[in-house]
Amino acid sequence: MTRLFASIGANLAVFFIMVFDMFRYLVQCVHEIRHLYLYRHQVLLQCYAVGVGSLPLVCLISAFSGMAVAIQMAYQMESYVPDYMVGSIVVRSVVLVLSPILIGLVLAGRVGAGIASELGTMKVSEQVDALTSMAVDPVGYLMLPRILAGLTKIPVLVIFSSFVSIMTGFGMSVIKMDITVTDFIKGMKLDFMVYDIFVGLIKSTVYGGVLTFVGAYMGLQTQGGAQGVGQSATSAVVVSSALILILDYFLTLALLY
Amino acid sequence: MEHPKTAISFENVYKSFGTQAVLQGLDLEIPSGQITTILGPSGCGKSVTLKHVIGIEQADSGRVEVVGHDMSNVRQRDLITLRKRIGVLFQSSALFDSMTVKENVAFGLRMHTKMPEAEIAERVHVCLDAVKLAGTEERMPVELSGGMRKRAALARAIAMSPDFILYDEPTTGLDPNTSNVVGDYILKLQNELDITSVVVTHDMPLTRRVSDKVALLFNGKAVVQGRLDDIESSQNEVFQLFVDGRLG
Ligand SMILES: Nc1ncnc2c1ncn2[C@@H]1O[C@H](COP(=O)(O)OP(=O)(O)OP(=O)(O)O)[C@@H](O)[C@H]1O
Ligand SMILES: [Mg+2]
């Protein structure tokens, strides 16, 4: 029993040390913003990698999830509500919930793990030490540009994803489920709110920041060789996915309630 | 002979990783404007010692002083200025593998100076030429052999015209000819630019050629240090064992 408590205590200590450490990195990151001019090429490069690089994947999953939502809604609502409600529900669920979460989780895998393994490899091959030795701050040069790319490009990707999902959901409803074009559009217009887009943007900005930060943090913490890099990539995905889902609850609560 | 000023000094430095004690009371003086060679068996802490000089590793106790700065509580601004003056050749080369050779060598210049691109290209060319790598500018590090990478890293280390250069095994993995080129170059930098150099190596011919001072690290301490002639004539037992390859 005492051993159980000791182990819980030790794990808690590790956890709090990690949280504290993450916080330190975050402060350092904010501090490095004053040298942003030095890192401008990196920022552009990362924006391109995150934004354009993720586009095909985002298109693909958004297209299919949009169709799935439309079918699901039509099936659930069939006899209870008028057809045009499908349009309304598809739009709102996509913009408010589905796109931010889905893209957040998928990009935690694609972008977050990518960052963790890239920086992890740089760490174990002494490239991070080489940066430091050349008087270039690794947090500023490696972490900050990636976070900025996440904060600015992931919301754009989510908007884009929402658009694609709605279009495919629309197509699905019309072609397969005998909902008329006018009905769907009527539903879309019926309770479309600009505030919903705002909520989607807030959520996706937060997730974009979280997944790039966690990825970069795990990468820079990497110890050991190839195995360490693998572990960092795994931790990056696990931690950022969990954080995204937990934050989703709190953001939804705060913004919609 | 006039006694040279000390550029870098270690005083009773201890450093452990977990339970493994690496440096155990290291005392070492690196005179300025000279070439100091650090010898020692593999795993004795030579690379770790170099990392203390640029503040990548911090001593657990004891004092590391680099041109008057105590590395355990140096101001961030001074540390950055210091690092700009120190060129480091890492044992693993540590070239940035997402950049071409040219971008690697130009990296410090681009980050820290406002030098125009044409001048940077010229400087990169000069540095690469010095290590016999002219023509590899546009290649990626993975497309180079181990020895070529080492030389590209050397070019990167000297690109900013540093006042100090730390060489971690500059000739390991090079054929005798290229080793000689690197040895010549270390001497040339020394003679022309009055740089303070620290060379970590196992290469005895290189040691004999370039060293003003030699230190032998063993069991976390510098067991001998001084001029190579003096050490050899003193018949130091540990040093003899090391040179004969029977230490450890
Ligand atoms: N970051 C680290 N974490 C844990 N242990 C380390 C770390 N860096 C070095 N060590 C340990 O410190 C000891 C000294 O390492 P160091 O790299 O300085 O050896 P070295 O003298 O340069 O050897 P070699 O001639 O093989 O390069 C080694 O036993 C190594 O295991
Ligand atoms: Mg070494």
Side-chain angles (χ1 to χ4, degrees):
Chain A
M1 199 61 178
T2 37
R3 227 190 295 160
L4 179 70
F5 279 122
S7 132
I8 291 174
N11 280 321
L12 267 182
V14 169
F15 176 75
F16 281 115
I17 288 170
M18 190 170 101
V19 170
F20 178 75
D21 207 39
M22 280 186 162
F23 193 70
R24 233 170 24 96
Y25 272 87
L26 213 53
V27 171
Q28 173 73 6
C29 237
V30 173
H31 205 58
E32 281 297 315
I33 290 179
R34 71 211 150 104
H35 298 313
L36 198 58
Y37 181 74
L38 267 185
Y39 311 128
R40 64 194 183 281
H41 293 301
Q42 285 303 303
V43 175
L44 291 180
L45 217 65
Q46 293 308 322
C47 283
Y48 184 83
V50 171
V52 180
S54 309
L55 215 49
L57 180 66
V58 166
C59 267
L60 185 74
I61 56 165
S62 309
F64 279 93
S65 59
M67 294 191 284
V69 171
I71 297 175
Q72 162 89 16
M73 290 307 153
Y75 170 76
Q76 249 180 300
M77 306 282 154
E78 209 164 22
S79 39
Y80 310 109
V81 292
D83 275 358
Y84 66 82
M85 282 303 287
V86 173
S88 152
I89 292 169
V90 165
V91 170
R92 294 199 85 182
S93 52
V94 163
V95 172
L96 282 175
V97 187
L98 194 67
S99 273
I101 283 268
L102 201 61
I103 301 305
L105 292 180
V106 167
L107 293 189
R110 187 193 172 269
V111 175
I115 291 174
S117 47
E118 187 185 356
L119 301 199
T121 307
M122 291 186 73
K123 176 78 194 294
V124 300
S125 61
E126 292 188 309
Q127 293 175 52
V128 175
D129 283 348
L131 270 182
T132 312
S133 81
M134 294 170 90
V136 174
D137 185 60
V139 173
Y141 187 79
L142 298 173
M143 189 184 243
L144 180 64
R146 285 169 172 80
I147 295 180
L148 290 179
L151 286 173
T152 56
K153 292 300 158 301
I154 290 178
V156 177
L157 286 171
V158 167
I159 297 271
F160 180 75
S161 150
S162 302
F163 180 75
V164 172
S165 290
I166 291 169
M167 283 302 128
T168 56
F170 182 24
M172 199 63 185
S173 311
V174 172
I175 296 166
K176 280 268 179 212
M177 284 166 317
D178 301 328
I179 296 167
T180 62
V181 174
T182 29
D183 267 355
F184 194 94
I185 293 179
K186 181 179 164 196
M188 268 170 67
K189 283 185 180 160
L190 188 69
D191 54 12
F192 172 81
M193 286 201 283
V194 180
Y195 184 70
D196 290 357
I197 294 184
F198 171 76
V199 172
L201 276 180
I202 294 272
K203 283 186 174 183
S204 49
T205 308
V206 172
Y207 306 158
V210 165
L211 71 93
T212 44
F213 170 70
V214 172
Y217 172 80
M218 291 299 171
L220 290 180
Q221 289 297 308
T222 306
Q223 302 260 316
Q227 201 184 4
V229 174
Q231 269 168 11
S232 292
T234 309
S235 314
V237 175
V238 171
V239 172
S240 52
S241 305
L243 270 176
I244 285 173
L245 290 171
I246 293 168
L247 284 171
D248 188 64
Y249 163 75
F250 287 107
L251 284 173
T252 310
L253 190 71
L255 293 168
L256 292 184
Y257 201 67
Chain B
M1 197 180 90
E2 162 190 33
H3 196 69
K5 251 179 52 215
T6 301
I8 302 166
S9 71
F10 287 73
E11 279 170 44
N12 203 23
V13 171
Y14 283 78
K15 176 74 182 175
S16 312
F17 293 102
T19 53
Q20 186 195 4
V22 179
L23 302 182
Q24 305 172 61
L26 176 68
D27 284 302
L28 180 63
E29 297 211 331
I30 314 267
S32 79
Q34 297 197 354
I35 301 179
T36 304
T37 303
I38 300 180
L39 300 167
S42 182
C44 72
K46 302 183 296 294
S47 300
V48 169
T49 304
L50 286 191
K51 285 179 182 173
H52 278 76
V53 176
I54 39 175
I56 292 178
E57 299 286 358
Q58 239 105 55
D60 297 337
S61 72
R63 188 179 168 87
V64 179
E65 216 176 89
V66 183
V67 282
H69 295 293
D70 177 357
M71 295 304 280
S72 63
N73 57 22
V74 59
R75 285 212 318 250
Q76 194 61 30
R77 193 143 45 92
D78 294 337
L79 187 59
I80 287 173
T81 321
L82 203 57
R83 282 174 178 161
K84 287 184 196 167
R85 295 175 58 199
I86 304 180
V88 187
L89 169 62
F90 283 84
Q91 184 169 359
S92 61
S93 299
L95 291 171
F96 303 124
D97 53 21
S98 60
M99 301 179 196
T100 62
V101 170
K102 178 182 173 183
E103 287 165 343
N104 265 284
V105 179
F107 185 78
L109 296 169
R110 284 189 178 147
M111 293 301 283
H112 296 305
T113 69
K114 296 196 162 48
M115 203 183 265
E117 273 305 307
E119 242 175 274
I120 290 183
E122 176 60 29
R123 176 85 190 131
V124 169
H125 183 76
V126 168
C127 293
L128 284 176
D129 204 35
V131 294
K132 301 265 182 292
L133 274 183
T136 59
E137 277 92 341
E138 298 308 327
R139 290 217 229 163
M140 300 301 281
V142 283
E143 300 166 346
L144 301 180
S145 74
M148 289 164 90
R149 264 179 241 166
K150 192 121 234 177
R151 284 179 284 149
L154 178 56
R156 183 178 69 180
I158 57 181
M160 289 274 284
S161 317
D163 302 330
F164 303 83
I165 306 185
L166 315 178
Y167 304 88
D168 199 342
E169 310 204 357
T171 57
T172 306
L174 301 185
D175 64 273
N177 265 322
T178 323
S179 288
N180 272 332
V181 170
V182 170
D184 289 341
Y185 196 60
I186 294 176
L187 277 174
K188 178 171 166 240
L189 284 173
Q190 191 64 28
N191 295 334
E192 289 176 6
L193 301 170
D194 202 31
I195 288 171
T196 303
S197 311
V198 183
V199 182
V200 163
T201 189
H202 306 283
D203 181 346
M204 280 317 284
L206 177 77
T207 308
R208 279 183 220 292
R209 262 188 71 207
V210 303
S211 314
D212 294 308
K213 175 176 178 171
V214 174
L216 174 63
L217 250 60
F218 186 57
N219 283 339
K221 286 192 182 68
V223 282
V224 266
Q225 51 182 309
R227 282 165 39 104
L228 187 60
D229 301 343
D230 297 346
I231 296 176
E232 280 185 328
S233 59
S234 77
Q235 306 268 311
N236 183 295
E237 199 184 340
V238 188
F239 191 80
Q240 274 313 316
L241 284 172
F242 178 76
V243 173
D244 300 344
R246 287 181 284 111
L247 184 68

